[in-house]
Amino acid sequence: MIKFIAMFFLVALAVASAQESLSKRASIGSSSIPTFYEEQLIRQKDWATLNPVNLEKPVDSNYVIGPGDFFEILLPNGNEGLQVSPEGSIAIHGCGLVEVNGLKLYEAKRKILEKLKTRYDARFTGVHLVQLRRFAVNVQGAVWNPGQVIVSGQARAKEAIYHAGNFKYSANRDSLYIYRNNDTIATTENILLQTGDVIEVPHKNWQQSIDLIYAGTQVTIPYIPRYTIKEYIKDAGITIDRKYTQVSIKYPEDGFTKWINIDQIDNFVPEPLNEITFHTQAPFVYVGGAVMAVGAVPYNSSMGPADYVAASGVTIATGDLKRISVLRNGKTISVDWATGEILPGDLIEIPRTVYEQAKDITYFVASLVGIVATTLTIYLATR
């Protein structure tokens, strides 16, 4: 009797334990979970899922997977965030390693899903690329800050160029060279980059160029037909403020220098190999001879010989405008008083009129006669 009672209690205890187990399984929601996973508990989502990464733009299915890319694996028992290792693989819980390095995105996703099928029901699995790797490329040539830059896995050539300071004014934007492994890619396309790429931005043809000189700095920029000085300034990325008043344009063939006012740069078109200098102070023209104020007059490209002479106070009665001469670089040249060109540093000489010269000779002779007469009178008085 005692044995029967003990056996009854043992059976009752086993039934109660089984009912408690079934109750726990029902609370998990077994209707949405295949029986294959009943031995596992649902895990909370990891950091990659709780803190999703928002990609800047959609990823092309031809994107090539590499170390550093980050996947989110959807599993019936929770989600896993997995990063591609330096060896190019990811380790999936319960499935093992999957080699994905060098595969296109759609190929990698297919391979991962095939691996998941070996353990999990395909109806409850999935895979997403949630973060792109970042890697270094090198940008050389006609950029403002050449060197190494860090880009995302979907970056294209011009994005790396932008991070390197963007194109210089001397850059030939119609052609790029990408050095990849042992290959050289010459392209006009904005191609996708890969780890270790070297991007070279070539310069334009320097056989013809323009030199811009300001504040002790010289900038050389390729010559562009029909470009004005103002357009060269803009392309060179320099600022010419109001303190500059004059511009000199030097021609290399003969050393001739032309001067213009700063407000003329909008329309002035220089020639190849011109040397363009910006000046904060106006140069001077020197005026001498039959003028009231001998000395320097500030240079102005719109002024002719007669204007400088007038500014120095010439009078028609004393100065002969038709016989104006100019001393330039140690040589005396004749210029037309109305239309002749005057350059900075010129010395304008205004001769006296014939009448004034005759008066000077008369005064000189008279003075000489007076001196002789006085000397003779004194001599005779002492005898």
Side-chain angles (χ1 to χ4, degrees), residues 21-235:
S21 176
L22 290 173
S23 176
K24 287 183 178 180
R25 291 182 181 181
S27 66
I28 294 175
S30 59
S31 61
S32 61
I33 301 177
T35 56
F36 181 77
Y37 306 110
E38 288 186 0
E39 80 280 2
Q40 302 181 46
L41 296 178
I42 297 295
R43 295 179 297 168
Q44 288 189 343
K45 294 182 178 182
D46 60 15
W47 70 269
T49 307
L50 294 175
N51 301 282
V53 177
N54 295 321
L55 297 178
E56 296 179 356
K57 51 189 175 182
V59 180
D60 193 313
S61 60
N62 289 316
Y63 172 73
V64 178
I65 301 299
D69 285 326
F70 207 99
F71 286 97
E72 184 181 38
I73 309 298
L74 310 181
L75 300 174
N77 59 325
N79 299 345
E80 289 190 63
L82 301 175
Q83 189 174 40
V84 181
S85 70
E87 290 81 13
S89 62
I90 58 173
I92 304 177
H93 178 74
C95 293
L97 295 177
V98 182
E99 298 291 336
V100 295
N101 184 50
L103 298 180
K104 293 182 179 180
L105 176 58
Y106 72 91
E107 295 173 330
K109 293 176 69 173
R110 181 190 303 161
K111 190 172 183 179
I112 293 170
L113 290 172
E114 289 295 327
K115 191 72 171 180
L116 291 172
K117 286 182 182 179
T118 62
R119 180 171 177 80
Y120 302 105
D121 191 323
R123 296 174 299 168
F124 302 95
T125 61
V127 58
H128 299 292
L129 180 67
V130 295
Q131 185 173 357
L132 302 181
R133 68 186 183 277
R134 298 183 68 81
F135 55 86
V137 297
N138 199 289
V139 185
Q140 301 176 352
V143 293
W144 290 104
N145 300 305
Q148 190 178 83
V149 297
I150 304 299
V151 296
S152 69
Q154 199 169 220
R156 294 181 177 271
K158 289 186 179 178
E159 181 179 338
I161 292 170
Y162 172 80
H163 289 304
N166 220 333
F167 292 103
K168 296 182 73 173
Y169 48 80
S170 60
N172 181 2
R173 305 188 186 196
D174 297 331
S175 179
L176 297 175
Y177 296 97
I178 312 294
Y179 303 111
R180 178 175 296 168
N181 299 325
N182 295 322
D183 295 329
T184 300
I185 305 171
T187 180
T188 58
E189 302 295 330
N190 190 20
I191 67 173
L192 284 168
L193 297 175
Q194 296 183 15
T195 304
D197 279 353
V198 177
I199 306 152
E200 182 179 349
V201 181
H203 289 273
K204 292 180 180 177
N205 185 359
W206 288 98
Q207 293 179 353
Q208 293 183 321
S209 61
I210 297 290
D211 290 330
L212 303 176
I213 302 173
Y214 70 105
T217 302
Q218 178 173 322
V219 177
T220 301
I221 184 169
Y223 170 76
I224 301 176
R226 295 181 295 280
Y227 246 40
T228 65
I229 293 178
K230 185 175 183 179
E231 289 174 309
Y232 283 116
I233 292 172
K234 181 179 179 181
D235 276 11

Side-chain angles (χ1 to χ4, degrees), residues 248-284:
S248 63
I249 302 97
K250 185 177 181 180
Y251 294 79
E253 295 83 3
D254 54 8
F256 173 75
T257 300
K258 181 178 180 61
W259 288 77
I260 62 173
N261 294 329
I262 192 68
D263 57 6
Q264 295 176 267
I265 63 174
D266 294 5
N267 302 313
F268 190 90
V269 177
E271 297 179 5
L273 304 179
N274 274 172
E275 184 180 280
I276 301 171
T277 306
F278 299 88
H279 302 270
T280 57
Q281 293 182 346
F284 293 96

Side-chain angles (χ1 to χ4, degrees), residues 278-351:
F278 299 88
H279 302 270
T280 57
Q281 293 182 346
F284 293 96
V285 172
Y286 302 91
V287 183
V291 292
M292 298 177 63
V294 175
V297 178
Y299 173 78
N300 188 318
S301 61
S302 63
M303 293 174 60
D307 299 312
Y308 288 106
V309 171
S312 300
V314 70
T315 62
I316 298 177
T318 59
D320 188 354
L321 293 178
K322 295 181 179 180
R323 296 169 56 208
I324 288 178
S325 62
V326 173
L327 182 63
R328 179 180 298 164
N329 298 327
K331 297 180 180 180
T332 300
I333 59 176
S334 297
V335 297
D336 183 270
W337 68 275
T339 61
E341 183 180 32
I342 299 298
L343 301 179
D346 283 354
L347 171 60
I348 302 174
E349 182 71 23
I350 312 301

